Amino acid sequence: MSEADDRTREMSRETARPRPRSGVNPGRLWAGGVATAVIAALIALVGLLILQVLLQIPYLAPAVSEPLDGWAAAQSLAIWAAVAGLAATGLAHLLLVAVPSPMSYFGWIAGLLTALAAVSPLILTEQPWTVRIATAVIHLVIGMSIISLVTTTVTSATNRA
């Protein structure tokens, strides 16, 4: 037998071995998810400070038809932003273990939900346009930051083979 035959047998053994699957480090993923939730809540607070203190524009909470001022608006938006960050992490984790090309699906789902959150204040109320646009911009910035941070976290928490 020649060396070529030996190499052929060795190559066929290598291709017969199953390739290792990509893995997710759940601890790292969820630590990044918690950090994303904190950052999203802080973005909400800073956005409200800019709106209400510098620009003198009230915030239109998603579940309320009247604008909210002060601490109630800050609490509401910060809590919802943190919940959105954790929900996005959960969605990413589910997609990572369940579907092919998980980040493509994540981008579409999270992007469409962000668009929905940004557009809804524009069409679901009859408040002044300044209030509606300001609320939409805050929702858009929060959603974009969550998408960016969760995508970065997923990249760091997975090892693709």
Side-chain angles (χ1 to χ4, degrees):
M1 298 233 156
S2 69
E3 276 186 56
D5 291 335
D6 290 338
R7 276 192 244 131
T8 304
R9 278 192 213 113
E10 193 173 316
M11 286 174 55
S12 67
R13 282 188 214 126
E14 286 177 9
T15 57
R17 291 183 206 148
R19 291 185 176 199
R21 293 194 68 204
S22 63
V24 179
N25 181 340
R28 189 175 187 109
L29 178 67
W30 283 98
V34 169
T36 297
V38 170
I39 291 168
L42 290 172
I43 289 171
L45 294 175
V46 170
L48 281 181
L49 282 173
I50 291 170
L51 280 185
Q52 293 182 349
V53 175
L54 293 178
L55 302 176
Q56 300 293 312
I57 300 172
Y59 169 72
L60 182 61
V64 180
S65 61
E66 293 297 318
L68 294 177
D69 285 324
W71 185 240
Q75 284 179 319
S76 174
L77 187 59
I79 289 169
W80 281 111
V83 168
L86 292 174
T89 303
L91 174 64
H93 196 176
L94 175 67
L95 293 173
L96 282 168
V97 298
V99 300
S101 302
M103 294 316 292
S104 295
Y105 289 102
F106 176 79
W108 274 100
I109 294 168
L112 289 170
L113 288 172
T114 297
L116 181 65
V119 170
S120 64
L122 299 175
I123 60 174
L124 297 180
T125 185
E126 296 190 15
Q127 294 298 320
W129 277 101
T130 55
V131 174
R132 292 193 267 177
I133 291 171
T135 301
V137 168
I138 287 182
H139 292 179
L140 183 64
V141 171
I142 291 169
M144 289 172 39
S145 68
I146 289 172
I147 292 169
S148 170
L149 291 168
V150 170
T151 302
T152 302
T153 299
V154 165
T155 302
S156 174
T158 57
N159 51 3
R160 300 268 175 207

